């Protein structure tokens, strides 16, 4: 596998590309990290997908390769709130990642998907809601509140949300609102809820209050299986 650092976009984003050896006209997957910014968790996910034959890009939506100490850090919080409050900026940063991946000669530009974690999940799904030419958009322990559900009629992608029922960042009220916003549109979408599971359930290195952030091996495995099945199906491979 080839690992390549790539710089792209107006925000001088520092992404990392993972290309399977001998790749030619493969599906591509963008991986949007959690709210702390690009780092090892996103690289680990991108590597796992590349091992399955996809060309993957771990995307840097903050720009400059920024990685916060934690979400309590003032600079991290400022960057997070800037993106959270600007749907246009969220979508443009996502499109920059899409464009750089789709332009790669190893990638079939008509078979691209996006996945993300926490705020990165919201980035993936919000980009899909813009009408982007994605085959699928998948979020793990993702924020649901900021999504522009009024644009659900523009969806081309299949959606999968994998969340825990005890995630304070995606309470059941937000799940119900998401379902209500999607219900009347001709789109393929699915919400998988894992009982008793908290935020960051895919991250073995999750830190902080264990009542909020906690790894869950079962939910991690089940959500990954659901996501990789959807990717294979959406890509036709």
């Amino acid at each position: 596998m080839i690992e390549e650092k790539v710089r792209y976009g107006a925000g001088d984003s520092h992404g990392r590309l993972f290309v399977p050896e001998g790749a030619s006209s493969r599906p591509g997957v963008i991986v949007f990290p959690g709210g702390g910014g690009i780092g090892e968790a996103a690289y680990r996910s991108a590597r796992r997908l590349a091992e399955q034959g996809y060309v993957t890009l771990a995307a840097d939506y903050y720009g400059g390769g920024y990685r916060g100490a934690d979400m309590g850090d003032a600079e991290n919080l400022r960057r997070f709130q800037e993106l959270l409050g600007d749907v246009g900026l969220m979508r443009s940063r996502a499109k920059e990642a899409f464009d750089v991946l789709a332009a790669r000669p190893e990638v079939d530009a008509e078979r691209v998907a996006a996945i993300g974690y926490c705020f990165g999940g919201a980035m993936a799904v919000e980009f899909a809601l813009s009408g982007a030419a994605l085959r699928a958009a998948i979020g793990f322990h993702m924020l649901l509140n900021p999504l522009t559900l009024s644009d659900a009629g523009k969806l081309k992608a299949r959606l999968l949300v994998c969340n825990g029922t005890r995630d304070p960042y995606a309470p059941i009220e937000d799940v119900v609102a998401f379902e209500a916003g999607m219900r009347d549109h001709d789109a393929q979408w699915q919400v998988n809820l894992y009982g008793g599971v908290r935020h960051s359930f895919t991250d073995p290195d999750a830190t902080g209050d264990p009542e909020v952030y906690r790894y869950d091996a079962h939910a991690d495995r089940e959500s990954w299986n659901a996501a990789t099945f959807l990717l294979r199906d959406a890509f036709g491979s």
Side-chain angles (χ1 to χ4, degrees), residues 3 15 32 47-48 51 55 59 63 65 117 123 134 145 147 149 157 163 201 211-212 214 220 224 228 237:
E3 294 190 22
F32 292 111
R47 286 190 194 100
R48 289 178 74 187
E51 287 168 357
V55 180
Y117 299 83
M123 289 279 293
L134 293 172
N145 182 266
L147 298 175
L149 296 177
N163 276 14
F201 64 78
E211 291 301 306
V212 178
R214 188 185 301 180
D220 183 19
W224 185 258
T228 53
S237 60

Side-chain angles (χ1 to χ4, degrees), residues 212-230:
V212 178
Y213 310 94
R214 188 185 301 180
Y215 176 67
D216 187 287
H218 172 77
D220 183 19
R221 181 177 63 253
E222 292 298 310
S223 61
W224 185 258
N225 288 343
T228 53
F229 176 84
L230 174 58

Side-chain angles (χ1 to χ4, degrees), residues 91 95 98 109-114 124-138 148 151-160 182 185-189 230 233-235:
R91 291 179 174 186
K95 187 176 187 303
F98 174 88
E110 295 186 359
R111 293 193 294 164
V112 177
V125 174
E126 183 62 45
F127 185 46
L129 289 167
S130 74
L134 293 172
R135 290 290 185 95
I138 300 167
T148 311
D151 282 346
K154 301 177 183 178
L155 272 170
K156 298 181 178 72
R158 295 168 61 177
L159 300 187
L160 171 63
M182 296 297 300
H185 297 282
D186 185 20
Q188 290 184 297
W189 57 276
L230 174 58
D233 197 49
F235 288 144

Side-chain angles (χ1 to χ4, degrees), residues 92-107:
S92 67
R93 291 288 170 88
K95 187 176 187 303
E96 288 174 349
F98 174 88
D99 288 345
V100 75
L101 180 61
R104 294 288 303 201
E106 306 93 342
V107 174

Side-chain angles (χ1 to χ4, degrees), residues 24-213:
S24 176
S25 195
R26 302 283 186 94
V29 183
I30 307 162
V31 178
F32 292 111
I38 194 167
E40 188 51 45
Y43 301 149
R44 183 167 58 239
S45 179
R47 286 190 194 100
R48 289 178 74 187
L49 289 168
E51 287 168 357
Q52 296 186 14
Y54 307 128
V55 180
T56 60
L57 173 68
D60 169 24
Y61 50 68
Y62 286 140
Y66 177 80
R67 174 66 185 171
D70 57 61
M71 286 301 291
D73 176 75
E75 176 60 16
N76 198 155
L77 187 60
R78 183 194 69 78
R79 290 171 180 257
F80 169 72
Q81 290 177 334
E82 179 185 24
L83 272 176
L84 184 67
D86 189 336
V87 170
L89 185 59
M90 285 177 65
R91 291 179 174 186
S92 67
R93 291 288 170 88
K95 187 176 187 303
E96 288 174 349
F98 174 88
D99 288 345
V100 75
L101 180 61
R104 294 288 303 201
E106 306 93 342
V107 174
D108 177 353
E110 295 186 359
R111 293 193 294 164
V112 177
I115 74 169
Y117 299 83
C118 183
F119 181 59
M123 289 279 293
V125 174
E126 183 62 45
F127 185 46
L129 289 167
S130 74
L134 293 172
R135 290 290 185 95
I138 300 167
F140 302 90
H141 40 88
M142 64 171 284
L143 307 185
L144 294 167
N145 182 266
L147 298 175
T148 311
L149 296 177
S150 58
D151 282 346
K154 301 177 183 178
L155 272 170
K156 298 181 178 72
R158 295 168 61 177
L159 300 187
L160 171 63
V161 174
C162 297
N163 276 14
T165 62
R166 296 191 65 183
D167 186 341
Y169 296 114
I172 192 62
E173 295 83 2
D174 289 356
V175 176
V176 171
F178 175 80
E179 293 178 347
M182 296 297 300
R183 192 174 298 141
D184 296 330
H185 297 282
D186 185 20
Q188 290 184 297
W189 57 276
Q190 181 176 340
V191 177
N192 289 0
L193 294 178
Y194 303 97
V197 172
R198 293 163 173 80
H199 196 64
S200 298
F201 64 78
T202 65
D203 187 1
D205 302 319
T207 59
D209 183 349
E211 291 301 306
V212 178
Y213 310 94

